[in-house]
Amino acid sequence: MTKELTPSYTLPKKRLFRRHLLNRLFALVGQLAVFSAVGILVSMLVAIVWWALPTFTSLALEVTIPSVQVSHHTFSTSSSQDVVSPALHATFPILNEPQFNHPQYERQAERLFSYLLFREITSSQESAPLLRASPNTTAWVTASQEVVETLSHPSPHHVKLSSFQKALLHTLEDNEKMRWQFNWYFFTGSDAQNSEICGIWGALLGTLYALGVALCIALPIGVGTAIYLQEIAKDSSWTRFVGVNLNNLAAVPSVVFGLLGLALFLTFLKLPRSSALVGGLTLGLMFLPIIIVSTRSSLKAVPKSLRHAALALGASSSQVIFHQVFPLALPGILTGIFLGIARIMGESACLLLVGMMAFIPSPPTSLLSPTTVLPLQIYQWVERPEKGFDELSSAAILILLLLLGGLSWIALFLKSKFEKKW
Amino acid sequence: MTTSDHIVKAYDDELNHLTFMIVSMGKKVDVQLDRIIEALSEGSVEKAKKVIDHDPEIDLLEKEIDTYAVRLIALRQPLATDLRNVISALKISAHLERMADYVVNVAKRTCSLGTKPLPHYITPIVRLIRSVQSMLRDVLDAYVQRDDQAAHRVWEQDTEVDESYNGFVRELLTYMMEDPRNITPCIHFLFIAKNIERLGDHITNIAEHIHYLIHGTLWTESRHT
Amino acid sequence: MTPPKLIATHLNLFYGNRQALFDINVSIARNQVTALIGPSGCGKSSFLKCLNRMNDPISEARVEGTILLDKENIYSRSMDVVQLRARVGMVFQKPNPFPKSIFDNVAYGPRIHGLFRSNQELVEIVEKSLKRAGLWEEVKDRLDQQGTSLSGGQQQRLCIARAIAVNPEVILMDEPCSALDPIATAKVDELIDELSHRYTIVIVTHSLQQAARVSHSVGYFNKGYLVEFGETGDIFTNPKNARTLDYITGRTYRRT
Ligand SMILES: Nc1ncnc2c1ncn2[C@@H]1O[C@H](COP(=O)(O)OP(=O)(O)OP(=O)(O)O)[C@@H](O)[C@H]1O
Ligand SMILES: [Mg+2]
């Protein structure tokens, strides 16, 4: 026999000290880890915001558009050059001088503006009948990326603008025909060749369409399946097999779903490539196991005792499900759905394969029209070499992060607000 | 029926202590009987007084047993055999107390006698007391052993006591008829014998309690068959 | 003598291939309280669940033998489980009120069975049930409060009220007082006593005192067998079986 254990209130000092030391060390390591994680996150956010900021402002230059020119030409015959050239001459009178009366200078002047946009503005002026009354009209037109860069980094090494162009800018600046304004194009535009007139609207709309399709497909099927598996189906080896496979499916890399979508919707069903419908269906495929798994776990979290209580009162199994279990599980199910939405919203890989990474310069008009989604739009922009696209992608990332954060916040809100204690 | 131990050891100890108290009470009554035999056969008032002096001890012990049993019922909430155990202890202690009172009665009669009685009174009465004494010892043994058979045997012994009591009464009647001067001692001895006979009855009651304690059923046999 | 309310004959219960109940034969008297006692895991709850087929949702549970409720076998094909459970109510060991208002808790049973014609009638049913469960005075002015916000003892009485609101013929109680203080327990005891005039009650309890207080008959289960069944007074003063004796007197289990 070992000696009797007696309560001892004087533990060995050294041991005690070591134990406390270990405690403190452990706490310290934990705090360090948290701090570094938060630090990384914050610096990432700050960097993104820093990079994204220039995108939200754009430089606008005022253009004078002579109306006389417009009235002379009919729609069909007017080429863009017929509109652009007089407007340039009207804006920069210096072009009328003989030594600059050369198409080369005209082109240099034109390149100060975002190229596509200039035409759009002028042609829109053309269709406005009001304008004919006034002799001249003016419009604020976004400047080209080169101008912005030169102005924000005025260093002699910059050779993007010729001295002639710089001189033109100076005259505009002196006449207060140059201003910084909020870049609405970022929110209303679609993809474009030039970064200054690119926007996320097309991709955002595509994302919403695809999400809508995915939700319409996956929600009823997913929730229904989960209720069936969890509540109605007898617990057999077959249902367990299905359950395990669903769990695995929820963890399968999304490219696999993309392949499935490619085979099923494009090759087999011959649906139009890069349409929101196909993207949505593919996302729906991916969403399905996520919804099933999260719904099942919310249903499982409803205590057995409540089911038994209802059963013992003579409720039928469907009454138990729809009176007791489902209402209690609903906040959890919704939380799962919102987190799932956040996940598929940021999804890109599976959509690559159904052709959603494409240059689509206009927002989708229907579910069948070609479109892209936000993550893929970002991916495309990051790929492009011009500096303007870096900023653009940062801004788009910021928007995506805000959306995802919003969704997570809704999920959290639902959880804390409606979750009942039992 | 074999008895196994309680899961709570202290409960067993308490029940055993109760038995121990009953037994020591019985031993005290036994000693009183010894003393009364001595007092009677010597006709000693002094020794008889000693018997009376010792009686409060037994009363006290009975009260102790009562409180102990009540406490045990309250704290342990005994059931079945354990409950019967405690209840029997209460009853047995009451019987033992009554028995001690009868012994005191005998002692008082001894005082009243005042003189050393003749041997033909002493011999049968001592024999009677001795047989009651052996019944008492047997019944205590049966109680400790929880021996149903032994209790039955004790119970049967009582008929012998009754018979020798009746014989002695008849003897006393003849003495009284022989000579009216015998009437005074004879009456005293009549009462003494009656008291001793009552002791036997109490012992049979104890035997019946032992039966109830063991079987949980009442002693169905009629007393006088 | 009125005929028994429930009669189990040759009842065997299996969980998978483990047998939990072995050849139970017992008749449960009408309008009386029957207590089931026995060590943990001996099959009391399992037996209780057999009586209203609450074993059905357990997929691996299998029942052999018959249980007659008023001469009708509850395991026959013609028996409707929903109907059966409305006739045989159950109160569980752990109070399990729905996370709804007190009113809705009690009203749930009448609602699903359509036991009332007007709203007024439903209100009356709820009030009567809460009164019979001895909870009315404590909750009458907060019926819209969550059932889960009540104390443990109140919750248990709420569950009892919920069970009697359906007006069952038999009430099964699985350790209803295991988490209650003596006062609440006494209230439940009194309730059981009162209910026993109209209902047949089967109660599982670990408190021998409670079994002794409230029941008319006691069944002692051990390792899936019904070891002894008898009148309460007999069981607690002089059980026939050595194992019953050991159990009720708190002795170490005797191997014989
Ligand atoms: N759902 C189940 N699946 C498998 N075995 C079970 C199940 N329910 C109970 N059992 C087994 O059946 C036996 C009896 O269980 P039961 O719940 O009836 O015991 P009990 O007497 O109510 O015990 P307690 O007093 O602890 O509640 C136990 O051995 C238990 O392991
Ligand atoms: Mg149980």
Side-chain angles (χ1 to χ4, degrees):
Chain A
M1 273 293 285
T2 51
K3 86 175 170 166
E4 283 274 314
L5 273 177
T6 48
S8 149
Y9 298 103
T10 50
L11 294 168
K13 275 258 165 50
K14 230 167 120 186
R15 241 185 97 87
L16 208 60
F17 177 74
R18 251 203 354 248
R19 277 160 61 182
H20 287 311
L21 195 71
L22 267 174
N23 264 0
R24 247 172 260 153
L25 214 69
F26 190 69
L28 203 74
V29 169
Q31 282 161 1
L32 262 172
V34 170
F35 277 135
S36 47
V38 168
I40 290 168
L41 201 70
V42 166
S43 53
M44 195 182 83
L45 268 178
V46 166
I48 289 176
V49 171
W50 186 249
W51 273 89
L53 271 181
T55 308
F56 294 106
T57 51
S58 64
L59 187 69
L61 308 175
E62 197 179 40
V63 187
T64 313
I65 306 159
S67 55
V68 202
Q69 303 290 323
V70 178
S71 57
H72 274 249
H73 295 269
T74 57
F75 257 118
S76 52
T77 53
S78 74
S79 76
S80 58
Q81 204 50 45
D82 293 335
V83 185
V84 171
S85 177
L88 282 177
H89 281 271
T91 313
F92 305 112
I94 196 172
L95 286 176
N96 297 330
E97 285 173 27
Q99 72 259 44
F100 296 117
N101 194 359
H102 188 275
Q104 180 210 336
Y105 294 110
E106 206 178 297
R107 226 174 297 127
Q108 281 191 22
E110 194 182 341
R111 279 203 204 114
L112 289 175
F113 301 94
S114 58
Y115 162 84
L116 271 172
L117 188 78
F118 189 50
R119 288 173 196 191
E120 266 173 37
I121 289 290
T122 30
S123 51
S124 75
Q125 301 281 20
E126 199 172 40
S127 57
L130 255 177
L131 298 177
R132 294 189 190 148
S134 58
N136 274 339
T137 142
T138 59
W140 288 98
V141 174
T142 308
S144 73
Q145 182 64 24
E146 286 95 64
V147 176
V148 177
E149 271 169 46
T150 314
L151 287 185
S152 41
H153 307 281
S155 79
H157 307 297
H158 269 287
V159 285
K160 289 203 170 159
L161 294 185
S162 66
S163 45
F164 175 69
Q165 284 174 314
K166 283 182 185 163
L168 289 182
L169 277 180
H170 277 302
T171 53
L172 281 181
E173 200 172 4
D174 294 342
N175 296 330
E176 295 189 335
K177 292 191 168 184
M178 182 198 264
R179 71 171 188 204
W180 291 95
Q181 63 179 27
F182 187 74
N183 184 9
W184 284 110
Y185 256 97
F186 178 66
F187 294 101
T188 56
S190 293
D191 201 4
Q193 296 286 359
N194 297 52
S195 63
E196 66 272 11
I197 53 162
C198 276
I200 55 166
W201 179 239
L204 200 60
L205 208 59
T207 299
L208 290 180
Y209 279 13
L211 268 183
V213 171
L215 282 179
C216 286
I217 297 296
L219 263 192
I221 299 181
V223 174
T225 310
I227 289 180
Y228 176 77
L229 279 180
Q230 192 61 34
E231 300 291 327
I232 300 168
K234 287 254 183 309
D235 187 31
S236 65
S237 53
W238 164 244
T239 51
R240 246 171 282 149
F241 175 78
V242 171
V244 167
N245 278 295
L246 280 171
N247 277 331
N248 289 340
L249 223 54
V252 155
S254 57
V255 192
V256 179
F257 289 98
L259 279 173
L260 184 61
L262 177 68
L264 197 62
F265 304 125
L266 296 185
T267 317
F268 184 67
L269 292 176
K270 306 255 188 293
L271 292 172
R273 253 183 96 77
S274 41
S275 64
L277 181 66
V278 170
L281 288 173
T282 312
L283 286 180
L285 282 183
M286 206 187 131
F287 200 15
L288 209 52
I290 300 177
I291 285 196
I292 294 175
V293 169
S294 76
T295 305
R296 279 190 77 175
S297 66
S298 317
L299 288 172
K300 208 186 280 180
V302 176
K304 276 223 162 59
S305 61
L306 283 179
R307 292 160 220 258
H308 288 168
L311 276 178
L313 284 174
S316 64
S317 52
S318 65
Q319 282 173 324
V320 173
I321 295 169
F322 292 107
H323 295 170
Q324 307 296 345
V325 179
F326 193 69
L328 280 180
L330 197 57
I333 294 175
L334 286 180
T335 306
I337 289 173
F338 276 97
L339 291 177
I341 292 177
R343 184 167 160 207
I344 61 166
M345 197 173 183
E347 192 49 61
S348 57
C350 72
L351 296 175
L352 271 176
L353 289 164
V354 290
M356 298 205 71
M357 187 158 99
F359 179 75
I360 318 282
S362 61
T365 49
S366 77
L367 287 181
L368 296 177
S369 56
T371 182
T372 186
V373 291
L374 215 41
L376 286 178
Q377 185 70 78
I378 292 167
Y379 186 69
Q380 294 179 60
W381 284 342
V382 169
E383 292 258 279
R384 295 187 196 161
E386 292 91 342
K387 184 171 174 293
F389 284 109
D390 281 354
E391 294 167 357
L392 210 52
S393 53
S394 295
I397 287 170
L398 195 63
I399 298 296
L400 190 61
L401 278 180
L402 284 178
L403 285 175
L404 297 183
L407 283 172
S408 303
W409 186 83
I410 291 175
L412 264 176
F413 174 77
L414 282 174
K415 206 176 169 66
S416 64
K417 178 89 194 248
F418 295 108
E419 199 158 59
K420 282 188 179 162
K421 301 281 173 290
W422 51 73
Chain B
M1 197 183 282
T2 54
T3 37
S4 52
D5 291 341
H6 282 99
I7 296 163
V8 181
K9 300 278 183 308
Y11 189 8
D12 274 332
D13 293 345
E14 283 168 22
L15 285 172
N16 287 339
H17 184 60
L18 197 61
T19 308
F20 170 76
M21 291 208 293
I22 294 288
V23 171
S24 46
M25 193 172 169
K27 290 244 171 74
K28 279 194 198 298
V29 175
D30 190 15
V31 172
Q32 288 286 68
L33 286 174
D34 277 340
R35 289 201 186 104
I36 203 72
I37 287 172
E38 214 171 310
L40 259 178
S41 38
E42 289 172 21
S44 158
V45 175
E46 230 171 89
K47 289 198 169 160
K49 285 241 168 73
K50 225 164 130 194
V51 171
I52 297 170
D53 289 345
H54 275 95
D55 189 52
E57 279 177 29
I58 294 174
D59 287 353
L60 192 72
L61 198 51
E62 195 222 358
K63 296 220 167 58
E64 265 177 41
I65 290 174
D66 279 4
T67 18
Y68 197 79
V70 167
R71 212 181 125 77
L72 208 149
I73 290 174
L75 300 188
R76 302 284 183 197
Q77 293 155 10
L79 282 172
T81 40
D82 300 328
L83 180 61
R84 301 203 299 266
N85 212 332
V86 180
I87 298 296
S88 307
L90 279 173
K91 295 266 193 174
I92 292 173
S93 73
H95 282 300
L96 288 172
E97 195 270 340
R98 282 302 294 147
M99 286 169 70
D101 287 349
Y102 284 125
V103 177
V104 168
N105 282 351
V106 175
K108 282 179 186 160
R109 290 277 163 197
T110 312
C111 293
S112 316
L113 269 173
T115 54
K116 184 177 176 202
L118 295 168
H120 58 262
Y121 294 123
I122 297 294
T123 323
I125 203 83
V126 167
R127 203 172 340 113
L128 198 61
I129 296 177
R130 286 288 179 215
S131 52
V132 165
Q133 210 174 13
S134 95
M135 272 172 79
L136 176 63
R137 285 172 192 169
D138 287 352
V139 91
L140 287 177
D141 274 349
Y143 176 67
V144 173
Q145 305 294 332
R146 302 286 192 261
D147 186 346
D148 182 35
Q149 298 300 317
H152 269 265
R153 281 197 297 277
V154 172
W155 189 83
E156 275 154 8
Q157 264 174 287
D158 188 48
T159 21
E160 288 165 35
V161 171
D162 282 356
E163 272 159 21
S164 36
Y165 163 71
N166 288 335
F168 185 48
V169 169
R170 270 195 301 276
E171 225 172 289
L172 288 175
L173 278 177
T174 44
Y175 293 148
M176 285 192 277
M177 280 188 285
E178 270 170 15
D179 188 347
R181 276 168 302 169
N182 285 341
I183 288 180
T184 313
C186 275
I187 293 288
H188 282 307
F189 272 101
L190 205 58
F191 277 112
I192 289 173
K194 183 66 203 163
N195 281 327
I196 304 292
E197 192 266 342
R198 291 298 298 145
L199 289 186
D201 290 347
H202 280 289
I203 293 171
T204 55
N205 281 344
I206 294 177
E208 285 171 18
H209 283 306
I210 294 172
H211 175 92
Y212 172 72
L213 158 62
I214 296 168
H215 296 295
T217 52
L218 295 179
W219 183 278
T220 43
E221 271 174 299
S222 164
R223 192 60 225 274
H224 298 283
T225 38
Chain C
M1 196 58 206
T2 48
K5 184 78 189 171
L6 285 157
I7 305 171
T9 27
H10 300 301
L11 185 77
N12 288 298
L13 173 73
F14 301 84
Y15 288 119
N17 40 24
R18 258 199 69 223
Q19 191 163 1
L21 290 176
F22 298 83
D23 195 35
I24 308 292
N25 293 291
V26 67
S27 359
I28 288 165
R30 186 181 302 270
N31 294 359
Q32 291 216 331
V33 182
T34 303
L36 305 179
I37 58 172
S40 198
C42 67
K44 306 178 298 293
S45 302
S46 300
F47 177 68
L48 209 61
K49 283 191 218 151
C50 287
L51 298 179
N52 70 344
R53 289 185 56 176
M54 280 298 283
N55 278 323
D56 287 9
I58 304 169
S59 53
E60 71 261 39
R62 186 163 54 84
V63 177
E64 282 174 6
T66 56
I67 293 176
L68 302 183
L69 172 67
D70 286 334
K71 306 205 175 97
E72 191 183 355
N73 185 7
I74 65 169
Y75 282 96
S76 72
R77 286 198 176 271
S78 56
M79 176 54 83
D80 179 14
V81 183
V82 166
Q83 173 72 23
L84 170 70
R85 292 196 189 127
R87 290 172 66 189
V88 184
M90 189 163 194
V91 176
F92 294 86
Q93 170 172 5
K94 235 180 96 212
N96 51 0
F98 301 128
K100 297 179 172 180
S101 73
I102 294 172
F103 185 91
D104 286 342
N105 261 283
V106 183
Y108 184 66
R111 274 188 183 138
I112 55 174
H113 296 302
L115 297 182
F116 53 93
R117 259 159 282 134
S118 62
N119 211 40
Q120 181 58 32
E121 211 173 317
L122 178 65
V123 172
E124 275 164 21
I125 291 178
V126 170
E127 181 178 338
K128 200 176 74 192
S129 307
L130 283 169
K131 272 184 181 154
R132 299 240 301 274
L135 191 62
W136 177 250
E137 288 304 316
E138 288 155 70
V139 302
K140 65 179 173 206
D141 32 45
R142 45 171 179 156
L143 288 176
D144 51 347
Q145 212 172 316
Q146 286 275 304
T148 39
S149 67
L150 296 173
S151 80
Q154 290 172 327
Q155 285 187 18
Q156 193 59 288
R157 278 177 286 148
L158 177 64
C159 292
I160 294 174
R162 188 175 64 184
I164 56 183
V166 198
N167 210 14
E169 298 160 27
V170 182
I171 301 176
L172 311 174
M173 298 185 174
D174 195 350
E175 298 177 39
C177 299
S178 59
L180 303 193
D181 71 311
I183 302 286
T185 305
K187 284 183 182 167
V188 174
D189 284 357
E190 163 60 20
L191 172 66
I192 291 172
D193 199 44
E194 147 119 33
L195 293 176
S196 69
H197 300 302
R198 300 142 128 272
Y199 303 100
T200 303
I201 296 173
V202 185
I203 177 174
V204 169
T205 176
H206 279 301
S207 158
L208 299 177
Q209 275 71 31
Q210 190 183 32
R213 283 193 306 264
V214 301
S215 70
H216 301 100
S217 332
V218 173
Y220 169 65
F221 279 82
N222 195 335
K223 299 192 170 172
Y225 292 92
L226 178 61
V227 175
E228 190 168 350
F229 188 86
E231 197 265 326
T232 305
D234 288 347
I235 296 279
F236 285 115
T237 54
N238 194 18
K240 301 280 169 296
N241 193 290
R243 289 190 191 167
T244 317
L245 179 79
D246 287 347
Y247 182 71
I248 64 173
T249 56
R251 284 170 212 268
T252 43
Y253 180 65
R254 149 188 3 210
R255 277 158 289 274
T256 39

